Amino acid sequence: MPQRVDVDSKNNVRVTEVGPVGPAGYAPSGGPGESGPPELLPLTISRGLPWTNWGQFNGLPLSTISYGGFSATVAYAQAPFNAQIQNGSIPGIVFLGDGIPKRFSVTAFLTTFGPTPVDEADAEGARVVVTGHLVSLLDGSPSSVELMDEEIASVLLPGPPSDSELEELYSSNTMESTFTLSSTSAMIAIEVQIQDDSGDQFEVPVWNVALVRASIWEGEPNIIPRIDTDSPRTFRGMSFPRLSNAGFDHPESPWRMAATTNGFWVMRLKPDDDVGYTSDGSVSFSTARDEVVDGDDILFWATERLRVSEAPTHDEAVVRKLELDALQEQVDTLDPESDALPYGKLLYSKIYNDDVGINLNGTSDLTEGFSDPFLVPLGNLDSGWTDGEVKLTPPTDKIRVVMQCVGQALDGTESELNWAMRVKSTADVVSIYGGGWNRQVVGGGYDMTLRQLEVVYEVTPGVEIIWEWIMAISGGAGCRIGHVGPMLPTLTVWAA
Amino acid sequence: MPYVAPIIIHRGRTEKVTIHLAYSVAGDQITSQIRKGVNPTAPLIATFTDIVISEDGRVITLTLDDSITSNIHATGGFMDLKRVTGGEPVTVLDEPLAVIFKNVVTA
């Protein structure tokens, strides 16, 4: 088990087991953490930070982006998370429509210490208010389930807690709820406000809000769910540096967005609330929409189409509709029996634009039929993604898996294409060919034309395998939101 | 391997090193020494004589008395921990910690 050691200026030596792949203590086997039911939220939503920065404390996952040890880290390291979440929301995507009750919890608290200390007298009575909603699409009709509302975590920490206080802190500042979905998919949205003692918005430096985790799981209420590192869903958005990659704050209108396989969903929590919302970009956002539903507390609308306001105009390396068509045609018309195929026998191929909530197929021209707002979600969400799995029985001892993606950063801002895949045997699901996930970051800069990730796995002929993948576009460092163009991923498997 | 800050020991001062572990070593025997090299045969600089384990077994406090630190002439060294549990010596730290000795002004 890899070990991490931090030494501070007071000669405090903190020794932690950083664990195998994934958050320490939450690997399905071998990790030191407590066992528990699988976490049902994607990792970036449930824990808020890339897993590469995770450590543990007594089996609890803690983000350790700073080097101050866990006590200081509790508050400081949440800054990337809370900078986006303070008085904002966490939209996520869940697929829980199985009729089984699920438990939902949020853990949050407020501190008065940090790089910009808050006057304790001013903070007296201040609290974290969490409002949660689950929005589902039942039989084609939107509806919402209130998870929690106006529940309050009010602990103020005058200074870094001792390690022994952390567990108690987690426990006393966790709000829980239970819900059941009968069918279909749903989106969860959590709104966090910091209020003063009179209920007004309280301005607190973002690093003084520790929103530690949000979890959904099945089973006993007191069991901490573990991250399932074998689930592609766990790593949805794993490369995203900020939670806002799954959300959207408009400077004037507190719309919240998320993408699902049903299309883009946009919602607004408590539209009558006079709550100031932060914004981290000057994104133009049209209120034009296909459908508006006015529920009890929620307005939202949905669409199934990616909409692009402007056609690409860059002269070179620009993704044009013809290129998208050509790529699609290339994959669709591959003849598995042909001797002329580049890598031998074709086992599987598909274009996965339909799985990312983006439907470019059937569009006659990218320059027509699109309006402004739907370019924004893709870039802002940084989450045009696809994931899934395919079962195959390879005829050879090697297979070659090729993932391709065509995309573009429309205005030259940085963007990234992140992808990962692995192949494992169904005969022994712990046997992963090729060393687990293979991951690359490609793209960036002005254009992102055809990118390809190619991995050859050694397998057992005649033994069924599962090939899993994740592919996502995300904004890189300094990427302003709303500037990543369309992507068209293709996936092929060859008997190499 | 990620950078790990060194332990700082001031000569002529009583110094404490506190080890926080994610597991319990309650009931185990802990010893610790500082040597010039990463080798049990390297010249010995100091031995932590006052070692206290917390009730939950997750915090070990090592103390070097000023009577010991006053006589340290080395500029640096290395330390680790030896844990004996069930009669077996086991590793606590994967890698030794670097130790830097500093002078003080006030006698």
Side-chain angles (χ1 to χ4, degrees):
Chain A
M1 185 75 64
Q3 190 177 73
R4 172 174 168 160
V5 176
D6 293 297
V7 180
D8 68 13
S9 60
K10 300 296 183 184
N11 286 344
N12 283 296
V13 181
R14 300 179 192 280
V15 183
T16 53
E17 310 297 330
V18 296
V21 174
Y26 281 78
S29 62
E34 301 174 30
S35 62
E39 172 62 63
L40 298 177
L41 281 176
L43 184 59
T44 48
I45 294 172
S46 65
R47 304 297 189 261
L49 285 172
W51 57 267
T52 48
N53 292 320
W54 281 85
Q56 68 159 352
F57 170 75
N58 287 353
L60 297 175
L62 281 176
S63 53
T64 53
I65 208 168
S66 73
Y67 292 92
F70 288 128
S71 297
T73 300
V74 170
Y76 300 157
Q78 304 306 322
F81 191 145
N82 296 306
Q84 308 300 327
I85 200 62
Q86 183 186 21
N87 295 313
S89 69
I90 313 170
I93 301 144
V94 292
F95 301 91
L96 304 167
D98 53 8
I100 300 174
K102 304 291 188 299
R103 297 188 183 279
F104 168 67
S105 76
V106 177
T107 304
F109 49 86
L110 194 62
T111 70
T112 52
F113 68 98
T116 310
V118 176
D119 187 286
E120 289 188 38
D122 293 341
E124 183 68 30
R127 62 234 183 199
V128 181
V129 180
V130 177
T131 307
H133 290 269
L134 191 75
V135 181
S136 62
L137 194 64
L138 298 173
D139 302 323
S141 301
S143 66
S144 70
V145 176
E146 188 174 275
L147 294 175
M148 57 177 59
D149 189 24
E150 306 299 317
E151 294 199 27
I152 296 172
S154 59
V155 169
L156 286 168
L157 294 175
S162 68
D163 286 349
S164 60
E165 293 170 327
L166 275 178
E167 243 174 329
E168 172 62 24
L169 197 62
Y170 269 50
S171 173
S172 61
N173 290 278
T174 297
M175 293 152 278
E176 288 192 2
S177 176
T178 302
F179 65 91
T180 303
L181 272 183
S182 60
S183 64
T184 196
S185 61
M187 180 173 75
I188 190 169
I190 306 164
E191 184 181 42
V192 178
Q193 298 176 34
I194 313 303
Q195 296 182 353
D196 62 18
D197 56 355
S198 60
D200 295 329
Q201 183 174 333
F202 183 52
E203 295 294 341
V204 181
V206 292
W207 40 73
N208 287 55
V209 185
L211 183 52
V212 183
R213 65 186 178 194
S215 286
I216 294 180
W217 73 99
E218 295 175 7
E220 295 300 316
N222 296 325
I223 297 179
I224 300 170
R226 62 173 170 78
I227 300 297
D228 181 1
T229 53
D230 274 341
S231 169
R233 187 180 305 283
T234 297
F235 293 98
R236 250 184 179 158
M238 66 180 178
S239 64
F240 303 154
R242 304 178 306 276
L243 194 63
S244 67
N245 290 305
F248 176 75
D249 283 328
H250 183 258
E252 298 176 359
S253 179
W255 293 97
R256 306 292 176 232
M257 291 184 171
T260 75
T261 54
N262 293 329
F264 289 110
W265 288 39
V266 181
M267 62 184 300
R268 181 184 181 189
L269 286 173
K270 301 188 126 185
D272 295 331
D273 263 4
D274 183 21
V275 176
Y277 287 87
T278 60
S279 172
D280 54 1
S282 56
V283 177
S284 63
F285 177 70
S286 169
T287 56
R289 47 193 175 266
D290 293 345
E291 182 183 13
V292 178
V293 179
D294 191 352
D296 293 337
D297 288 316
I298 295 173
L299 291 173
F300 73 92
W301 48 273
T303 183
E304 296 179 352
R305 292 266 178 177
L306 168 69
R307 307 209 173 190
V308 181
S309 59
E310 296 178 1
T313 55
H314 192 43
D315 289 337
E316 297 179 1
V318 70
V319 179
R320 297 190 184 283
K321 181 64 168 58
L322 285 178
E323 294 174 80
L324 300 178
D325 283 343
L327 181 62
Q328 180 178 340
E329 184 178 359
Q330 174 190 336
V331 176
D332 281 352
T333 58
L334 286 173
D335 177 4
E337 303 304 322
S338 170
D339 294 332
L341 293 175
Y343 299 126
K345 182 177 176 59
L346 176 67
L347 300 177
Y348 177 83
S349 71
K350 191 173 182 181
I351 292 180
Y352 271 90
N353 50 351
D354 56 336
D355 277 1
V356 298
I358 306 164
N359 186 358
L360 291 175
N361 285 338
T363 302
S364 60
D365 192 328
L366 281 177
T367 64
E368 296 179 359
F370 296 111
S371 57
D372 181 62
F374 300 98
L375 175 60
V376 176
L378 180 58
N380 175 57
L381 293 170
D382 292 346
S383 58
W385 68 65
T386 175
D387 65 0
E389 64 179 36
V390 168
K391 290 184 179 179
L392 298 167
T393 303
T396 57
D397 61 356
K398 290 182 181 178
I399 64 167
R400 182 188 307 271
V401 182
V402 180
M403 302 173 72
Q404 290 177 317
C405 185
V406 175
Q408 183 190 36
L410 291 180
D411 70 347
T413 51
E414 292 290 327
S415 59
E416 294 176 351
L417 171 64
N418 298 278
W419 42 23
M421 60 182 171
R422 66 178 174 184
V423 172
K424 61 184 180 182
S425 167
T426 57
D428 177 5
V429 294
V430 300
S431 172
I432 298 173
Y433 299 107
W437 294 103
N438 290 274
R439 180 166 172 263
Q440 283 186 341
V441 176
V442 297
Y446 194 92
D447 65 279
M448 184 166 57
T449 54
L450 182 64
R451 305 290 180 185
Q452 180 164 307
L453 174 63
E454 180 179 330
V455 180
V456 176
Y457 295 97
E458 293 187 359
V459 295
T460 303
V463 176
E464 187 180 55
I465 61 167
I466 298 175
W467 166 49
E468 301 173 304
W469 72 86
I470 299 173
M471 180 185 288
I473 281 184
S474 68
C479 176
R480 286 186 299 135
I481 57 180
H483 299 275
V484 178
M487 70 179 206
L488 185 64
T490 67
L491 307 163
T492 51
V493 182
W494 311 81
Chain B
M1 181 181 171
Y3 170 76
V4 178
I7 299 293
I8 306 295
I9 300 293
H10 294 89
R11 298 186 183 94
R13 301 289 186 259
T14 298
E15 295 281 10
K16 287 189 176 181
V17 176
T18 308
I19 312 290
H20 302 262
L21 300 172
Y23 51 87
S24 174
V25 295
D28 297 341
Q29 181 186 356
I30 301 292
T31 53
S32 178
Q33 295 176 326
I34 303 174
R35 292 181 181 272
K36 281 194 173 181
V38 185
N39 190 313
T41 62
L44 178 66
I45 298 174
T47 299
F48 287 94
T49 53
D50 183 7
I51 299 177
V52 177
I53 300 175
S54 64
E55 279 190 15
D56 66 3
R58 295 171 184 244
V59 180
I60 305 168
T61 305
L62 312 169
T63 303
L64 273 183
D65 193 76
D66 62 330
S67 62
I68 298 175
T69 60
S70 297
N71 295 314
I72 293 176
H73 301 290
T75 56
F78 299 91
M79 67 171 286
D80 63 6
L81 297 170
K82 179 181 178 181
R83 174 191 176 197
V84 178
T85 179
E88 294 294 329
V90 298
T91 300
V92 177
L93 300 172
D94 287 350
E95 303 288 341
L97 297 171
V99 181
I100 293 176
F101 299 103
K102 290 187 173 181
N103 285 327
V104 295
V105 176
T106 305

